Each structure stands twice: as structure tokens, then as C-alpha cells.
Amino acid sequence: MPHTTPTPVDFWFDPTCPWAWLTSRWVLEVAAHRHLDVRWRVMSLAVLNEGRAGLDERWHRDLALRMEPVRVCAAAEERYGHGVLGRLYTELGTRFHLAKAPKERATYAAALAAAGLDPGLADAAGSEAFDDAVRASHDEGIGRVGPDVGTPVIAVGDVAFFGPVVTPAPRGEDAVRLWDGVLAVAGTDGFFELKRTRTHDPLFF
């Protein structure tokens, strides 16, 4: 097989977002069929929505809680380097979105341990020490696509886009076909948006 240079893909995620989780599983499926070099990056729905008018009271209560797992990711990245974020995200997402585990220290510690990382980094959840790092990563991702989007943000080389938002995560040829389509529209100069109203909740199986 001839050598091919991997396609660099930067993926900004908030581990609490079920839609980002589904998109991330799709990207991993694509990576099983295409030569991708995925770099996982953190962003935060709490940062994105802070101060935003029109959010219901539940969202305001949840914003602080949503910062916790992102802080844990930032702490792990500082300790071990960005290469650990992919497996930590998998462990956190599996617990949040499949096992419906609560966002609390015990869940973070279990995910860290399963990822081969120091479970003591779960203490970062309640600390603001990593907020600057979270915001810097978040701002970099949002700066690529603009503030009127959410998570995930994907960048392929110099082209960045929000989404795709899809459920369930496509597999096999379907995953690759979607990847090719997304790259085609993202690479079209002047293309900005293609959208329809969601008619399904996230489907994980």
C-alpha cells in the first residue's frame, strides 16, 4: 500500500454534549477507513452560553456543572499532553451518554483511571485554575467558525465548520460518504450553512 500523508483534523468538543459525542464517534469511524490524524481539543458550552439572554433557569444552573469535566480534560492535557484527550473523552462520554452517570467527582475519577491517567486530576473539576486554558482552547475553535454555533467544531487544514449534527453516528460506507460530503461543502468558497430542524433526540445505539 502506498504511503499517504494523514489528513489533519482538529475536533473541539464539550464532553457533556451528546451531539458532539455522536459526531466524535462518527469521526473515529471515518478514521478506521481514511488516514486521519485527529487532534482532540476542548471547548465549553458553559463559556459559549455565559451571559446569553433567553436561557431558561435550568441552563443557568447547569452551566457551572458543565465546566467540571472540561476542566478535568484541561488538567489531563496539561499533565500528559494533548494526546491523552481522545481516550479520556471516550471514557467520559461513555459514562455520561451511555451509562448516564452523574457529573460528579467519582465519575471523573473513574474515567481518568480507565484512560490510564491519575484519578486525582478529578479535583480539577472544582477549581478555576484551568479555566484560562479552557477558554483559550474554546476561543481558538470558535474563532475559526464564529460565535453563532455550538459544539463540535471541526477543522480540516484551513477549513473549519460546526457539526455535522447527526444521529445515530453513521458507520462503514455511510460514515465515509458523509465525510466526503461534508468536506465537499466545507471546501466550497462562499458556502456557509445547510440546516434542517432536528426531529430526533440523540440516538446512541
Side-chain angles (χ1 to χ4, degrees):
M1 172 180 285
H3 173 76
T4 57
T5 301
T7 300
V9 178
D10 287 88
F11 190 109
W12 279 267
F13 67 93
D14 181 318
T16 70
C17 177
W19 296 103
W21 170 256
L22 288 167
T23 305
S24 73
R25 301 310 95 179
W26 163 69
V27 166
L28 289 176
E29 179 71 10
V30 174
H33 301 275
R34 294 288 179 85
H35 198 187
L36 306 184
D37 179 15
V38 183
R39 177 171 177 173
W40 304 96
R41 316 283 293 276
V42 295
M43 64 182 296
S44 170
L45 286 171
V47 172
L48 185 69
N49 288 298
E50 63 184 359
R52 180 170 294 184
L55 293 178
D56 62 33
E57 186 60 30
R58 177 184 61 85
W59 261 100
H60 287 294
R61 291 196 304 269
D62 286 352
L63 287 181
L65 187 60
R66 285 177 178 269
M67 275 296 286
E68 292 187 356
V70 185
R71 288 168 172 165
V72 172
C73 288
E77 182 177 18
E78 180 181 279
R79 172 81 64 86
Y80 298 100
H82 72 263
V84 305
L85 282 182
R87 66 179 188 265
L88 178 55
Y89 181 26
T90 290
E91 296 299 337
L92 285 169
T94 297
R95 285 162 175 77
F96 292 154
H97 307 302
L98 303 186
K100 307 301 181 184
K103 299 175 185 67
E104 61 183 22
R105 190 189 185 285
T107 302
Y108 313 145
L112 285 159
L117 309 175
D118 178 9
L121 291 174
D123 291 340
S127 170
E128 296 181 357
F130 297 95
D131 286 10
D132 286 347
V134 169
R135 289 177 182 276
S137 181
H138 174 92
D139 289 346
E140 183 180 354
I142 290 296
R144 301 287 296 273
V145 292
D148 54 342
V149 299
T151 175
V153 170
I154 300 178
V156 183
D158 294 330
V159 178
F161 48 87
F162 160 61
V165 175
V166 60
T167 190
R171 301 294 182 185
E173 293 182 3
D174 290 340
V176 174
R177 183 166 54 248
L178 177 59
W179 176 255
D180 290 340
V182 168
L183 292 187
V185 297
T188 301
D189 187 39
F191 179 88
F192 294 106
E193 188 170 358
L194 180 68
K195 186 174 182 179
R196 65 175 179 167
T197 300
R198 300 175 196 171
T199 58
H200 293 289
D201 289 332
L203 303 173
F204 300 110
F205 299 100

